[in-house]
Amino acid sequence: MSNIDEHYRPPTANLVHTVENEFEPASRGKRFFAAMIDGIIGIVISIPLIMYLGVWEAAADGRQAPLEIMLILSGFGLVSFLAIHGYFLKKHGQTLGKKLLNLYIVDMNHQVPDFVRLISLRYLPLWIVGYIPIAGSFLPTLDALFIFRKDKRCIHDLLAGTKVISR
């Protein structure tokens, strides 16, 4: 090819641009600390109600709280979770713990997931499983262990079609 032909050749460039390269999967440590922050917030909010309903005293006496008390606490937990984290989950795909650590829950196209889908597939199944005897303690642990997969997606991420990224 002569120098003249070289001048008329169209420029070449790598036009393949993937968003995947811009957002790293969140580290296991950051996800752990975000979950701890969210858990601490939930516990602090729940302690007054737990004390008022006598759940603490029942546990100290080796008794289980009545079912209606546990249902009240569950309802309170769900409502307070949505009150505390709902806005940030809907707008940015973040809980407060994730917000503090600059983590985002996104769908596989790196968009904020649909709020109803996020709650019903990512959070609700684990809440429900938590009330099943034996499985309630085993399955959440299994879910957490999935973080050690190469893609760092837990079972709740797989169910909801989400992943957690760091920006």
Side-chain angles (χ1 to χ4, degrees):
M1 203 178 263
S2 71
N3 285 339
I4 295 174
D5 291 339
E6 196 66 33
H7 286 88
Y8 296 105
R9 186 175 349 156
T12 59
N14 181 6
L15 298 179
V16 177
H17 176 74
T18 60
V19 178
E20 189 71 34
N21 296 333
E22 293 180 18
F23 305 109
E24 294 284 326
S27 73
R28 293 172 185 99
K30 276 188 157 185
R31 285 188 72 172
F32 173 76
F33 285 114
M36 290 295 292
I37 292 167
D38 293 337
I40 290 168
I41 291 169
I43 289 169
V44 168
I45 299 276
S46 299
I47 285 175
L49 185 60
I50 289 169
M51 292 177 74
Y52 175 76
L53 294 174
V55 176
W56 218 291
E57 293 163 2
D61 293 342
R63 296 179 289 118
Q64 184 166 343
L67 179 61
E68 56 272 5
I69 298 290
M70 297 311 291
L71 290 173
I72 289 169
L73 280 173
S74 296
F76 176 78
L78 177 61
V79 169
S80 63
F81 178 86
L82 293 174
I84 294 165
H85 303 291
Y87 173 80
F88 295 109
L89 282 168
K90 182 164 178 45
K91 285 297 247 185
H92 308 289
Q94 295 176 298
T95 60
L96 289 181
K98 285 179 176 59
K99 185 168 185 57
L100 289 171
L101 296 174
N102 208 29
L103 302 178
Y104 299 82
I105 303 167
V106 295
D107 63 20
M108 300 314 286
N109 295 318
H110 294 93
Q111 302 299 313
V112 173
D114 174 69
F115 181 73
V116 172
R117 180 176 172 83
L118 185 69
I119 298 300
S120 64
L121 293 177
R122 194 171 200 278
Y123 292 102
L124 196 56
L126 283 180
W127 287 333
I128 292 170
V129 165
Y131 292 102
I132 300 172
I134 300 170
S137 58
F138 172 71
L139 291 176
T141 302
L142 179 64
D143 174 57
L145 290 174
F146 264 60
I147 193 94
F148 294 103
R149 292 168 26 117
K150 184 178 179 181
D151 65 1
K152 300 178 186 172
R153 293 175 68 208
C154 296
I155 293 173
H156 60 267
D157 291 310
L158 298 171
L159 287 173
T162 60
K163 59 184 173 179
V164 179
I165 61 169
S166 182
R167 290 193 185 163

